[in-house]
Structure formats: structure tokens, C-alpha cells
Amino acid sequence: MSKPPPAAKQEGGRRMRCISAKVFDIDLTKGSIQEKQLPEEYWQLHLGGSGVAARLLYDEGTYAVDPLGPENILVFMNGLFTGTPVPCGCKMAVCAKSPLTGIWGEATVGGYFGAELRKTGYEGFLVRGKAQRPSYLLIENGQVSIREAEDLLGLDTYKTSELLKDRHGEKYEVAAIGPSGEKLVLLAGIMFGGSETRAAGRTGLGAVMGSKNLKAVVIRGTNPVDLFDRPGLVQSIQETVPVIKANTKGLTDFGTAGGVMAVEANGDLSIRNWSLGSWTEGAAKTNGQKIAETVFVSHYGCFACPIRCGKNVRVPVGPFKGQLAHGPEYETTDGFGANLLNEDLDVIVAANDLCNRYGLDTISTSGVIGWAMECYENGLITKEETGGIEITWGNGEAILKLTELIGKREGFGEFLGQGVKRAAEKLGGLAVEFAVHTKGLEYAFHDPRAFTSMAANYATANRGACHLEGLTYFAEQGAFPLSLVDFEKEFTRHGHENKAEIAVIMQNFMEAMNNLGLCKFLIRGKDSTSPAIFAQWIHQVTGIPYSKAELMKAGERNFNLKRLFNGKIGITRKDDALPPRLGVHDKESGAAKGSIPSMGKILWDYYRIRGWTPEGIPGKEKLRELGL
């Protein structure tokens, strides 16, 4: 498919350091485990993570399979920097065809699992087929075994992790699905780290894991990580980390939820299923600062992370009251808070804990509950259909009950667990108007009417309504200087001029960061953590010279490769759209009042800059340029 970029040749004929280019290929149907040596050029072209996964899945043709069938392949793949001393080099990608959206499925996760995988001497593993009996995988350095998991069935992700650590050792890392993954709930994710949860939450990949009768993966590696220029890398890190810490102090103190008030002030908060523009008093009650004052217990961080944005909390209400759990992130505080007009922080914390235990994506779960509340308000869903639950705005008891039912795939939860797109299509009429999704994925809680470059990003992001594929609202606010990616043009937050170009550039950059295995909060380091610095680190880690231009080109290559995957499923211009709630409606209050994205103009510019046809298909000349 692709040729190595000219400047990515090996120094003096040496192989890349750090990267083994080896993966495990596990077939659960056959019970077979093979070691595969992939071409080293994959990492020169795609960097790692979801880029290499996309290459493998495209070449395997999984775009044509049933997402919940044994032919779908679930890929766990480390980024190039994962498990190295590079700051925030903790991320691993989990990829497959999504059962929720039916297109490219991807979820990225931090924690320590990826670092442990790096120490096995392997870059990742592919899971095919379906086990005859409930199973889990045990990976220890170069050895993989398939173990029976009958005794784990029905356990939540905390209990599963605890039991497997007791069985194999505290230093083993665990990835697990909960009851929602076992029961093929389409909102199910894969949870890592037990109660200090890090989630591969989006696009329903927990259901893919469940469809394979795979309950968990347990991993331990003890091999040293080989670096090309360790002294040079360490010196660069020592210069960089103080800047990162200084620029991310708010995240360290209050986690991502510490930004709720600022997001509300920008008109960027989702309020009442995206229908309102201001919620100042509610935001003041449901943010990271309030978490710190009330339920906070301790800080924690991912591997090689100087930020430590994770927060342990004590669950204040609900079935697991009093237990230690991961604190809600920004997306969860908005999703179960403002999005549902719920001012009760205790309920948000408890709902987050339920999602982590059952193995649910908090964004999609709260998104579909918000849709259901609006349908209930308008008489499209009745109390008889909900099983007697009054799903009114701000009803904490209803929020927790619906989350539990979705996680167990019981009662009205079975209907909601298919996601907002399918549920709305079944109800029809006004229900479709209230459904906030693109390509079947519920929206992350940043409003494209507040920063209209996000409209271009949401409409075109390969996995659906994903904020992280572009993170352009960071750039528009100045949290990341666009000059570092060679963009110097003027723009206004609510306008359309140059917004497509911002989206394209940031998508390429964020794609590259994702493939490197870097947490995207690293861009808060600004010029100390720029594309040029990342290119320098590639050389120090691998010994392969790499330039800033090549880094951006790798991101562009991988973004286009995923678009090609989706193109095989039929994704074109017709699918690159905002839902009516975001593309037509005015918020009427708040900082984004009067802003409605000019999608026709934005997309015309976007396709031209991308080198795609007006129908949104990558052009032949662009594909030749990218080696695709």
C-alpha cells in the first residue's frame, strides 16, 4: 500500500531501536497463537498505535465484516513512545470495526497497560475468532496462553481486575470488560486499571471483546526498553517537564473536570441535550473544584505522566456508596450534569462509578439518557415504556437507574444501550431531531457552535463525533499556539474563514500524537512540546532521523487511511454532517449565542485542503503523495 518516506531511512543500516515490529496474532476459534514480524517500515510510515492498526485492518479487509462476528479483528497496539521515558508516553490504541457505528472503531487508553506491553518486547496483539468458552488472555513477555474465565462471568471490572491480580500478581496489568461488554451492549468499552480506571470507552469495542467470549487480558513484561539516545532524550525531558507542570497545574489540582466553569463561560458546555446556552449556577456546583472540596481522596497519574490528572474519590451515594473509585472527568461531569440538568455532584460521581464498573462509555451513556429525557418530555417515550421510571430532567434517581439498566442490558436499558442513532430511528419523527450524533457516535461534550473549527472536526472525524481527533477548541483558545504547526492566519471563534484549515492541520497533528502514544494534554507544553520536539524524540528513541514535516505527513497519511477504510463502507459527503440540534439551532443565550456553523462553506474548504473530491473521497493525487 505505501512506501517509506525518503528521509525515514535507517542510519548506517541499523534497525530501529525500541521498536521490535513484533505482534501476537491470536485466534480464539482455533486456540492458536502466532508471533508475526511486521515490516519495520510500518512504524516509519504510521508511527504506531491506531496508524499501524489501521494498516493491518485495512489490509485484512475487516471493513466488510459483521462487527460482532468472529471475522472482526480486535487490535491492541502501542504508540511509538508508549512505555518509554517520553513524558505522557502512556497511550495504547484499541481498534476494530465498530458495532455501534458500523465504521472505523477506535479507542485510546492511558494507564500502565501499554507500558507493560512494551516490556514484553511486542508492539501489540490481534485477537481473531471467538472462544468456545469464556476466556481471558495471559501475556507474560514472549508467552501467551488462553485461560478459562467461567468464574469471572458477571463480575464488574473492579472485581475482575482484583481477582486476576490476586491470581497472577499485583504487578500484572488488567484490561477487562464488565457485564455490558459480556451482554454486547453497543455502548460498552474496555476498562483498564481496576478502580483507578482508564477507559478505552468509545465506539463499543467492549462489545467486540464480549462477542469473542474474551473477558480480560492480563499482562506482565520484564524486558528493558532499548533507546537509541537515552542521555539526549533524558536531557530533553528534564528541560521539558517543568514547563509541562507549570502549564498544567489546573489539571494536576482539579483534573479535567476543573475546566467546567471555563467551558460554560465560552458557551461550549452541552446543556439540556445541547438545547440551552448558559448554566452558570449548575456549573459552579458540578466541577473539579467541588470534587476537590467534597469527595476527593487522592491524585494518581498514568505511566510517565508529570501531570497526574487522575483523581480517586469516595462514592457518596448509590449501590457502591463509600467505596473508592475513579473521579469523573470533564466529559462525564458535563454528560451526567449539565447535559441532564443535574446539579447533584453526588449523582455524577455515582453514575461515573457505575459506568466504570459495568464497562460503559460515559459519553455515549449520558448522551443517550439526555436524548431519552427530551423524548420523555415531549411524550415520545412514556412511563409505561420506561418500566415506571420518570426520566425527567435532573432526576438523579432516574439517572442512576437508567445507567444500571443500560449496563445490565435490562428493561428500558436494553433499548437505550443500542445508542442514540438506532434508538431514534426506531422511534422516528421528532426523536430523530433530538438525536445528537454524527455517523452514529454520540457527541463529546464540546459545542461546535462555540468554536466552529470543531464543526469541521466533528463532521469529518473518522470514528464519528470525536473531539480528540482535532482538539481545535484548544487551539482556538490559545492553549496550543497554531504557529507551531505553521498556521498564522486570522480567524474568529464563530466565523467560517480558515476554520477548515485549522481542522485539517490539527487533525493531522492529533493523529500523529495518537500514533506516538502521547496524551494530548502534552500540547499544553506549547513550544516545549511541539511537532519539532516530537520529531527530535523519534530520533532519540529509534535512531531514525525524522522531521517535523514527516511527522505531520504521517498524521495526514493515517487520517486518510482511516477515511479509506470508511469509504469501503460507503462513507462520503452525505455522512459529514452535524445533527440538526447543532447545525441549525441557535443557543439563544450564553457566549455562543447566535453562532450557527456555515457547514457548506466549511466543508467545501475542508475537502479542497485535504485533496479530496467534493463528495469527500480522497483524490488519487493525494493518495499517491501519501503512498496510499
Side-chain angles (χ1 to χ4, degrees), residues 259-329:
V260 169
M261 290 293 289
V263 172
E264 195 278 338
N266 284 324
D268 193 22
L269 201 67
S270 161
I271 308 165
R272 196 179 176 276
N273 196 32
W274 304 87
S275 65
L276 299 181
S278 183
W279 199 59
T280 306
E281 292 183 7
K285 299 175 183 177
T286 56
N287 55 46
Q289 290 80 354
K290 281 294 180 184
I291 291 173
E293 292 174 8
T294 54
V295 294
F296 170 79
V297 174
S298 61
H299 303 278
Y300 73 91
C302 298
F303 177 85
C305 177
I307 303 172
R308 295 178 60 79
C309 71
K311 304 291 171 267
N312 289 311
V313 299
R314 192 72 63 185
V315 180
V317 297
F320 299 100
K321 179 180 179 179
Q323 297 198 26
L324 195 68
H326 167 67
E329 304 287 348

Side-chain angles (χ1 to χ4, degrees), residues 9-29:
K9 295 177 182 176
Q10 301 167 15
E11 277 190 354
R14 288 192 295 266
R15 293 183 61 81
M16 293 178 77
R17 300 286 279 275
C18 185
I19 302 301
S20 70
K22 295 188 299 184
V23 298
F24 292 114
D25 195 329
I26 303 161
D27 190 320
L28 294 175
T29 300

Side-chain angles (χ1 to χ4, degrees), residues 30-260:
K30 298 177 180 177
S32 65
I33 299 157
Q34 293 182 320
E35 177 187 299
K36 282 191 174 181
Q37 183 75 43
L38 300 178
E40 194 174 281
E41 71 178 45
Y42 281 13
W43 277 264
Q44 296 178 33
L45 286 164
H46 305 292
L47 299 177
S50 64
V52 171
R55 174 65 180 262
L56 296 174
L57 294 176
Y58 186 91
D59 289 349
E60 290 266 5
T62 60
Y63 43 75
V65 305
D66 175 358
L68 294 178
E71 298 82 10
N72 202 9
I73 301 172
L74 187 63
V75 178
F76 295 72
M77 190 65 64
N78 265 348
L80 191 148
F81 291 155
T82 309
T84 72
V86 168
C88 302
C90 62
K91 296 286 188 174
M92 181 182 67
V94 187
C95 304
K97 187 177 181 181
S98 165
L100 175 63
T101 64
I103 59 172
W104 172 255
E106 173 182 340
T108 306
V109 64
Y112 288 81
F113 190 98
E116 208 64 33
L117 173 60
R118 171 71 73 207
K119 292 190 292 182
T120 68
Y122 292 78
E123 307 307 322
F125 52 97
L126 291 70
V127 184
R128 306 172 186 267
K130 178 180 180 179
Q132 291 184 351
R133 303 171 62 82
S135 304
Y136 72 93
L137 295 175
L138 177 63
I139 303 176
E140 298 172 296
N141 289 327
Q143 301 296 319
V144 180
S145 58
I146 303 172
R147 304 291 184 94
E148 289 193 2
E150 293 278 1
D151 60 327
L152 304 177
L153 283 186
L155 295 183
D156 68 32
T157 61
Y158 298 3
K159 289 291 186 183
T160 301
S161 180
E162 181 182 330
L163 190 153
L164 289 171
K165 279 178 170 284
D166 287 345
R167 184 176 300 172
H168 296 289
E170 190 60 33
K171 292 185 177 180
Y172 285 70
E173 290 297 320
V174 179
I177 58 172
S180 62
E182 293 176 26
K183 296 183 178 183
L184 310 187
V185 177
L186 298 185
L187 310 184
I190 305 168
M191 304 297 162
F192 296 71
S195 62
E196 290 192 344
T197 309
R198 289 302 180 196
R202 307 240 66 196
T203 72
L205 299 183
V208 176
M209 194 160 155
S211 74
K212 297 184 176 301
N213 237 345
L214 183 63
K215 175 67 174 177
V217 182
V218 185
I219 194 165
R220 174 75 171 130
T222 58
N223 297 313
V225 177
D226 187 24
L227 303 174
F228 173 72
D229 179 12
R230 186 179 291 270
L233 179 63
V234 169
Q235 181 180 345
S236 179
I237 292 170
Q238 289 173 341
E239 295 168 355
T240 299
V241 165
V243 181
I244 297 170
K245 286 184 174 181
N247 290 347
T248 57
K249 189 177 185 303
L251 287 169
T252 302
D253 292 343
F254 305 116
T256 59
V260 169

Side-chain angles (χ1 to χ4, degrees), residues 452-593:
T452 51
S453 61
M454 285 297 291
N457 172 66
Y458 280 134
T460 59
N462 283 305
R463 67 176 180 176
C466 169
H467 63 309
L468 292 173
E469 285 199 36
L471 213 61
T472 64
Y473 64 93
F474 261 38
E476 287 208 43
Q477 294 176 83
F480 174 75
L482 283 164
S483 59
L484 295 175
V485 285
D486 303 321
F487 181 89
E488 303 279 1
K489 298 177 182 177
E490 294 184 357
F491 61 88
T492 60
R493 287 187 179 184
H494 300 161
H496 66 264
E497 294 293 340
N498 300 317
K499 290 306 185 76
E501 187 171 354
I502 294 173
V504 169
I505 291 172
M506 288 299 291
Q507 284 175 337
N508 291 345
F509 182 35
M510 292 300 100
E511 181 71 42
M513 286 192 71
N514 188 36
N515 308 143
L516 290 170
L518 294 174
C519 173
K520 288 168 182 173
F521 290 140
L522 196 61
I523 66 173
R524 294 281 186 94
K526 301 184 179 180
D527 58 351
S528 69
T529 52
S530 66
I533 297 296
F534 297 160
Q536 172 192 313
W537 288 346
I538 291 174
H539 180 243
Q540 290 169 329
V541 167
T542 70
I544 304 301
Y546 223 82
S547 68
K548 170 185 171 181
E550 287 175 315
L551 179 82
M552 297 296 288
K553 187 64 68 176
E556 183 183 11
R557 179 180 297 113
N558 292 335
F559 192 90
N560 276 269
L561 177 55
K562 294 172 186 177
R563 182 72 175 197
L564 290 177
F565 184 100
N566 282 342
K568 290 287 188 180
I569 302 167
I571 296 297
T572 63
R573 165 67 181 86
K574 70 182 187 306
D575 306 289
D576 294 342
L578 300 185
R581 179 58 54 83
L582 303 182
V584 178
H585 293 234
D586 183 356
K587 296 182 84 165
E588 297 186 350
S589 65
K593 177 181 178 179

